[in-house]
Amino acid sequence: MNDETTTGEHPAHDPDLLELRTPAQFKALGHPVRHRIVNLLRQRPATLGELAAALRAAKGTIAYHVRVLRDAGIVRLAGTRHVRGGTEQTLALVSRGFRLHEEAAAGPDFLVRAALAEMLPARPGQAEHTLLNHLWLTQQEAHALIARLRDLLPPPGRTPPPGGEPYGLLLSLYPADIPTLPPGPSDESAARNSAS
């Protein structure tokens, strides 16, 4: 969902990240239109009119979805200004990013579904790389790899650069349900030869 949305073990609690844990929050973020509103507000605060124009949707529709996000504590009113006899509201996210509470009913599958909903087919020549690989790691190696993956992430709240295109990055190290064969005869003889 966001470059800061994570599950699993976390470094020291970051007060700038909203911890997602309630069914209302997951329901709010699980809708595709609301997911897109959150992605827009990650770029900067915006008015209902700006959100409606970016999403090519009716202002009333966007107002409804924003209300759901506000009720769930994800979006806040950032400011108001008077325009042509009315009041224009500017909306913002309540935090610079999110993280899933370790006891939340939704987990990595929530993030995978969010990533799948965003994925577009790559255009010719456009960068894209999706790979599923399996590793056999000790707990110490797994924790070290998680720390290295966190270091690769760009800082949260980064403004899109001119000419930049949006890309999603879903990093997941998870315990896999893969059976393991016992060592075969060739493995055992290789282990004996290397020991001698």
Side-chain angles (χ1 to χ4, degrees):
M1 145 149 313
N2 162 329
D3 47 55
E4 280 296 307
T5 307
T6 59
T7 62
E9 292 193 15
H10 305 288
H13 178 69
D14 186 339
D16 292 333
L17 299 182
L18 174 64
E19 196 165 63
L20 302 175
R21 63 169 63 193
T22 69
Q25 289 171 324
F26 290 108
K27 182 178 179 184
L29 291 170
H31 191 282
V33 171
R34 294 190 286 266
H35 179 88
R36 291 172 66 84
I37 290 169
V38 168
N39 281 337
L40 286 169
L41 293 176
R42 276 196 193 101
Q43 298 169 38
R44 66 170 176 81
T47 66
L48 278 177
E50 290 173 324
L51 294 171
L55 294 172
R56 296 185 178 99
K59 201 170 176 181
T61 300
I62 299 305
Y64 165 76
H65 288 295
V66 164
R67 189 169 45 254
V68 173
L69 289 166
R70 286 184 70 183
D71 290 346
I74 294 167
V75 168
R76 65 179 174 84
L77 180 63
T80 59
R81 70 180 186 122
H82 294 289
V83 290
R84 289 171 286 193
T87 302
E88 182 179 68
Q89 298 181 339
T90 300
L91 303 151
L93 296 177
V94 298
S95 63
R96 68 177 173 86
F98 310 105
R99 74 177 209 146
L100 299 180
H101 186 271
E102 59 192 26
E103 294 176 11
D109 58 322
F110 177 81
L111 299 178
V112 170
R113 284 194 310 272
L116 288 173
E118 292 178 353
M119 279 187 190
L120 295 172
R123 298 184 309 271
Q126 187 178 30
E128 185 273 334
H129 181 74
T130 302
L131 172 70
L132 173 62
N133 203 343
H134 296 104
L135 311 169
W136 276 258
L137 304 170
T138 65
Q139 284 300 309
Q140 184 178 3
E141 291 170 329
H143 290 294
L145 180 55
I146 289 170
R148 286 176 42 208
L149 292 175
R150 278 198 188 100
D151 290 342
L152 294 175
L153 294 174
R158 182 175 165 202
T159 306
E165 295 184 75
Y167 283 87
L169 177 63
L170 176 66
L171 298 175
S172 181
L173 183 67
Y174 55 91
D177 181 14
I178 299 174
T180 304
L181 290 171
S186 61
D187 296 329
E188 291 171 357
S189 64
R192 279 194 304 272
N193 290 339
S194 67
S196 47

